[in-house]
Amino acid sequence: MSLVKRSTHGCPGGLPVLLLTACAVAASLAGVPAAAAEPSTLHDLAAAHGKYFGSATDNPELPDTAYAATLGSEFGQITPGNSMKWDTTEPQQGQFSFTKGDVISDFARDHGQTVRGHTLVWHSQLPGWVAALPASQVEAAMTNHITEVAGHYRGEVAAWDVVNEPFNDDGTFRASPFYNAMGSDYIATALRAAHAADPDAKLYINDYNTEGLGAKSDAMYDLVSELVAEGVPIDGVGFQGHLAVQYGFPGGMQQNLKRFADLGLDVAVTELDVRMQLPADAAKLATQATYYRNVVEACLAVARCVGITVWDYTDKYSWVPDAFPGQGAANLYDENLRPKASYDAVRTALGGDDEGGGGGEPGALKARYRNSDPAPADNQIKPALQLVNTGAAAVDLSTVKVRYWFTGDNGVSSYGTWCDWSPLGCSTITHRVAAMSSPKAGADHYLEVGFGSGSLAAGSSTGEIQLRLSKTDWSNFDETDDYSRTTGTSYADAPKVAVYIGGELAWGIEP
Ligand code: G3I
C-alpha cells in the first residue's frame, strides 16, 4: 500500500509555498515536540563551561567503527597517543613521516575537533639515532625536529606538548639526550623553536605525578615561573592525570592547578585515566568514579583550566594492562564500549543529567528499516521503521527516540514531517527534523521519532511505522548518499538508524 494513500494529513507536492508552510506548521502543532533536548555529549557539557572534553586515540583503533563513532561524537578534542611522537615522525635523522599523524588530524577536522599535538621532545619513544648523536649535535637535531613537525601541523594542532615528562618523581631534572647535552636550557630552546614553527599553537610542558601539591609539582612550578619571568613562549602546563585507585587521590589538585593558572598560564588535564588492580569490583569502580569526578570538579573550579583529555575513552584500548600487568579497567567506557559509573560521574560533575550508563543496560531495542521509497530523487523521504525489543523486560516507549539521518541537499532548511501509518496509531508518534550542528558525511539533518506513551513488551515489535518528510519549499532530495538509507526493500536490522533510551544510545552507530 502506498504511503501517501494512507496519509491523513499529507501535503501533496506542487502546492503553493504558503499553503505548504501552513501544512508543515499544522504537522508541527499536531505532534512535533518544539524543543526536544539533544542528548548532550561530554564535550557539549564541558563547552557550556568554556572547556573541552577530549580523548586520546591511536591509528589502529580507527577502523573499529563503533569506537570511531563515539570518538567522533562524544569528544571535542583528540590527542594522538603515538603517531606524532619522534619515533614515528622522524625514525631516521632527517626522514620525516607524517602519514599516521595526518590520519588523526584529518579525523579531527572531519569531526569538528581540535588536536593536542603530542609530543615534540620526550626521552621515550625516541629513535636510537638521537641518543647516539654527539652532544654537540643534539640541539640542532632537536630544533630541526620541532621545526619540521610543528611546521607540518601548523594550523592543524591547537596545542603542543612541546616538552614531555622533564622531571623525575623527586623533582630533579630527568636525564635524557636533551638534558645531557644542554642542561635544563633545552626546555626554553624547545619552546622557542616551537613558537617559531607555529606561532598560533599553545605551547605546553606536560608531566605526570604533578596533579597534586608535592615535590614534583613544586619543581614544575619553579621551572615555569622562571620561563614566564624570562619571557620564554609558554602558554600552558599539562597535568597528565594517570591515577590509580590504590594510590589515593592527589592532594590539593585544585590549589595546584590554581597556582599555575595564577602565573598567567592555561592548565589542562591531558591524559586522564584511573587504573585499578584487577579484577575490578563495585567498590573500586565507585572509587574510580569519585576520582574522575574530583578531577572534573578541580578543573571546573579553575577558570584557566581549559579542558580535560582522557587517555583513550575505553578499556578496550587502554595502555594500562601492557604497562602495569594485572591492572586495568581505567577508562570511562568498558571493553564493550558501554559507559561505566565513571562516565556518569563525569557527566554529572559537568552539570549533565545521569543518562543511565553506570554499567547498567540501557535496554535492548533494535531498529529495523526497509526502503519503501522507489523515488530517491523526488521531494519526499519516506523511511519505514520498526523497533523490536530484544531484551527480557518491557521498554517504556515514552523514553525512546529514534534518529534517521539524511542530507537536506539544496533548498530551504525547514521541514514538514508526517506519520502516515502505524499500528500503534500515529497520534502517539512524535516526529521532527533537526539540523546537525556538525554535519557529517551523508548527514546534515535527522528525522527524530518518539512516542507519547506506550510500552513495548519483551520480544515484541512496534510493527511498521510509516514516516514521511519534505522541505517546506518541496525541493527535491538526492537520497542516494543519505547516511541511514539502504536500498533493501524488506525489513533488515538498521545499524545506521539510532535508538536512544532515556537519552542514551541503545542501538546503532551515529554518523
Ligand atoms: O607499534 C609497535 C608494534 O609494531 C609492535 O608489534 C608492538 C609490540 O609491543 O609494539 C608497538 O608499539 C607500541 C606502541 O605503544 C604503539 O602501540 C609500544 O610497544 C608501546 O610501548 C607503546 O605504548 C605507548 C606508550 O605511551 C609508550 O611510552 C602507549 O600506546 C601510549 O598510550 C603511551 O602514552 C604515554 C604518553 O605518551 C605520555 N604519558 C604517559 C602515557 C602512558 O604511558
Side-chain angles (χ1 to χ4, degrees):
M1 191 178 294
S2 130
L3 300 180
V4 173
K5 223 161 120 191
R6 279 177 170 165
S7 171
T8 51
H9 51 252
C11 292
L15 289 184
V17 169
L18 254 184
L19 178 53
L20 295 170
T21 304
C23 180
V25 170
S28 169
L29 292 175
V32 181
E38 285 271 314
S40 302
T41 65
L42 296 182
H43 178 68
D44 290 339
L45 293 167
H49 298 275
K51 306 181 194 294
Y52 59 79
F53 203 94
S55 175
T57 188
D58 209 354
N59 299 61
E61 302 162 14
L62 296 178
D64 178 341
T65 52
Y67 167 85
T70 297
L71 180 73
S73 58
E74 190 80 32
F75 302 96
Q77 175 274 321
I78 56 175
T79 303
N82 286 297
S83 49
M84 292 185 190
K85 290 174 177 173
W86 197 314
D87 59 352
T88 302
T89 52
E90 194 185 4
Q92 273 87 43
Q93 186 165 19
Q95 291 180 20
F96 288 89
S97 172
F98 299 115
T99 314
K100 289 184 175 172
D102 288 355
V103 169
I104 305 297
S105 60
D106 289 350
F107 184 96
R109 195 177 332 104
D110 290 348
H111 294 83
Q113 298 166 314
T114 56
V115 177
R116 294 196 85 259
H118 178 81
T119 173
L120 295 170
V121 181
W122 188 28
H123 66 277
S124 181
Q125 288 176 286
L126 191 61
W129 67 261
V130 181
L133 288 173
S136 60
Q137 294 178 23
V138 173
E139 180 174 339
M142 181 187 81
T143 303
N144 187 54
H145 181 77
I146 293 170
T147 304
E148 291 297 323
V149 178
H152 177 81
Y153 288 110
R154 184 171 174 172
E156 302 285 328
V157 159
W160 270 109
D161 291 329
V162 177
V163 175
N164 197 38
E165 301 175 3
F167 290 110
N168 297 310
D169 274 351
D170 64 2
T172 55
F173 281 104
R174 182 194 292 274
S176 70
F178 312 106
Y179 182 78
N180 297 346
M182 291 171 264
S184 61
D185 287 351
Y186 84 90
I187 296 170
T189 304
L191 287 160
R192 290 193 176 103
H195 184 63
D198 186 351
D200 295 325
K202 300 285 187 194
L203 305 182
Y204 279 68
I205 303 178
N206 192 49
D207 214 327
Y208 63 89
N209 283 353
T210 49
E211 296 76 21
L213 296 165
K216 194 171 182 181
S217 63
D218 286 349
M220 180 68 92
Y221 183 80
D222 291 344
L223 169 67
V224 298
S225 299
E226 271 177 43
L227 293 171
V228 168
E230 289 168 9
V232 175
I234 177 169
D235 299 287
V237 179
F239 300 83
Q240 293 185 5
H242 292 295
L243 309 182
V245 298
Q246 64 271 26
Y247 299 140
F249 190 79
M253 182 168 183
Q254 182 182 321
Q255 298 95 300
N256 190 40
L257 297 184
K258 176 84 166 49
R259 66 172 169 160
F260 284 91
D262 288 346
L263 295 173
L265 297 171
D266 289 343
V267 295
V269 180
T270 53
E271 305 184 15
L272 178 61
D273 53 19
V274 184
R275 64 186 184 272
M276 63 188 66
Q277 205 65 47
L278 297 173
D281 61 28
K284 292 177 202 168
L285 289 166
T287 303
Q288 178 187 56
T290 305
Y291 285 20
Y292 272 104
R293 189 192 68 210
N294 291 349
V295 171
V296 173
E297 288 177 351
C299 183
L300 290 180
V302 176
R304 293 293 296 259
C305 182
V306 295
I308 295 172
T309 308
V310 290
W311 205 243
D312 230 313
Y313 72 84
T314 163
D315 295 341
K316 188 174 182 180
Y317 298 122
S318 173
W319 68 290
V320 168
D322 286 341
F324 298 96
Q327 296 184 46
N331 303 80
L332 295 178
Y333 292 64
D334 70 14
E335 295 199 349
N336 297 313
L337 306 182
R338 310 297 302 227
K340 295 157 58 176
S342 295
Y343 172 90
D344 291 342
V346 168
R347 278 195 78 82
T348 308
L350 289 170
D353 51 349
D354 177 344
E355 290 208 329
E361 288 290 312
L365 290 182
K366 69 176 178 181
R368 291 171 63 77
Y369 163 86
R370 77 178 173 92
N371 187 319
S372 62
D373 187 348
D378 70 357
N379 56 17
Q380 299 188 75
I381 297 178
K382 304 167 187 168
L385 301 172
Q386 293 180 351
L387 296 186
V388 178
N389 185 344
T390 57
V395 173
D396 175 359
L397 285 174
S398 71
T399 65
V400 173
K401 290 274 192 287
V402 185
R403 287 186 180 180
Y404 176 97
W405 282 274
F406 64 96
T407 49
D409 303 304
N410 301 315
V412 300
S413 58
S414 55
Y415 287 82
T417 59
W418 299 272
C419 168
D420 284 325
W421 186 78
S422 159
L424 301 173
C426 273
S427 61
T428 192
I429 311 273
T430 64
H431 36 85
R432 66 167 187 142
V433 164
M436 294 170 68
S437 48
S438 306
K440 306 279 161 56
D444 51 28
H445 288 78
Y446 56 85
L447 172 65
E448 186 177 77
V449 180
F451 304 84
S453 61
S455 173
L456 189 62
S460 295
S461 164
T462 56
E464 179 161 277
I465 304 169
Q466 297 181 356
L467 299 149
R468 189 159 51 85
L469 65 95
S470 71
K471 284 171 275 189
T472 53
D473 66 357
W474 290 89
S475 59
N476 286 343
F477 295 98
D478 172 7
E479 290 184 62
T480 55
D481 65 346
D482 285 357
Y483 176 79
S484 293
R485 178 180 181 269
T486 58
T487 51
T489 53
S490 303
Y491 269 107
D493 289 354
K496 290 183 166 183
V497 174
V499 181
Y500 303 85
I501 304 178
E504 186 181 349
L505 185 65
W507 165 268
I509 301 165
E510 296 167 324

